[in-house]
């Protein structure tokens, strides 16, 4: 039986966005933030690799006309709205834990994930922990000098595991293909119902 289940965060476990509530409450501000941050791939990748921090993002937005207090206040509001993509996730995940699996979020994300999102959403009540690109300094797609991915390297070494001990559930087919080639069992759900099906399959077959 596999020992570890890694679950991707955005568009796999949750569809909650940073400042996502502004999309309906204040569309102008929302689209301004989206344009300034998420249309800038270099900035996003730097932030996800831990080379830029939330305080730098607040400063950058302020330089472009968005008050720092507004950025921070709306971010904190958004934390209270974080939800899993399906209410069916929790009971299945708890059943998997009872069978001996350890559950981890594995996410290309920002410094705010570990500092705010994980604790504010009480994810420690469900998961054993998380791996975030901002803390590892690499994205899931990043390869080392040997041509092999490095995202899970520290975790595997620390816990004396191999890829074959793990399962990855991630909506990005390029990521699941990469780690499948390393020996990890993978699922690539495109909808919450497909994620539920993957979790049920693992539970039923105790992969």
């Amino acid at each position: 039986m596999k020992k570890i289940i890694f679950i991707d965060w955005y568009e796999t476990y949750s569809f909650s966005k940073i400042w996502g509530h502004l999309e309906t409450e204040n569309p102008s501000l929302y689209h301004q933030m989206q344009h300034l941050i998420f249309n800038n791939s270099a900035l996003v990748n730097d932030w996800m690799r831990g080379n830029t921090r939330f305080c730098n993002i607040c400063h950058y937005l302020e330089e472009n006309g968005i008050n720092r207090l507004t950025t921070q206040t709306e971010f904190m509001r958004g934390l209270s709205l974080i939800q899993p993509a399906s209410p069916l996730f929790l009971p299945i995940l708890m059943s998997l834990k009872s069978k001996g699996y350890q559950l981890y979020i594995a996410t290309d994300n920002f410094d705010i994930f570990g500092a705010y999102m994980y604790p504010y959403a009480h994810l420690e009540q469900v998961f054993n922990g998380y791996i975030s690109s901002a803390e590892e300094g690499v994205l899931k797609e990043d390869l080392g000098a040997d041509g092999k991915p490095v995202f899970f390297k520290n975790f595997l070494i620390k816990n004396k595991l191999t890829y074959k001990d793990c399962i990855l559930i991630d909506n990005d087919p390029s990521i699941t293909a990469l780690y499948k080639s390393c020996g990890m069992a993978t699922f690539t759900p495109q909808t919450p119902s497909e994620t539920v099906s993957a979790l049920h399959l693992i539970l039923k077959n105790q992969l």
Side-chain angles (χ1 to χ4, degrees), residues 81-95:
L81 302 175
I82 293 174
Q83 295 289 337
S86 170
L88 299 178
F89 287 173
L90 183 58
I92 309 172
L93 292 172
M94 291 299 99
S95 294

Side-chain angles (χ1 to χ4, degrees), residues 1-7 93 95-105 126-129 152 155-169 183-185 187 199 202-203 205-207:
M1 188 180 88
K2 306 291 186 183
K3 299 175 182 179
I4 306 292
I5 301 174
F6 293 117
I7 303 178
L93 292 172
S95 294
L96 286 164
K97 288 187 81 170
S98 73
K99 296 293 185 182
Y101 290 97
Q102 292 188 35
L103 310 175
Y104 288 83
I105 293 288
V126 181
F127 294 92
N128 296 89
F152 293 104
F155 180 92
L156 296 176
I157 292 173
K158 179 180 178 181
N159 292 281
K160 299 180 180 179
L161 297 168
T162 70
Y163 286 114
K164 292 182 179 180
D165 296 314
C166 308
I167 300 170
L168 174 64
I169 302 175
M184 190 180 283
F187 294 87
L199 293 170
I202 297 168
L203 182 62
N205 296 317
Q206 296 191 30
L207 298 178

Side-chain angles (χ1 to χ4, degrees), residues 31-49 52 57 60-61 64 110:
H31 290 298
Q32 186 182 6
M33 286 179 162
Q34 288 293 109
H35 175 74
L36 288 170
I37 299 174
F38 297 103
N39 285 359
N40 185 337
S41 59
L43 176 63
V44 169
N45 285 336
D46 271 350
W47 195 7
M48 288 196 296
R49 287 190 173 97
T52 296
I57 297 299
Y60 165 68
L61 291 176
N64 285 274
F110 314 114

Side-chain angles (χ1 to χ4, degrees), residues 163-183:
Y163 286 114
K164 292 182 179 180
D165 296 314
C166 308
I167 300 170
L168 174 64
I169 302 175
D170 194 308
N171 72 301
D172 187 336
S174 67
I175 295 300
T176 52
L178 175 62
Y179 288 98
K180 186 175 183 179
S181 72
C182 297

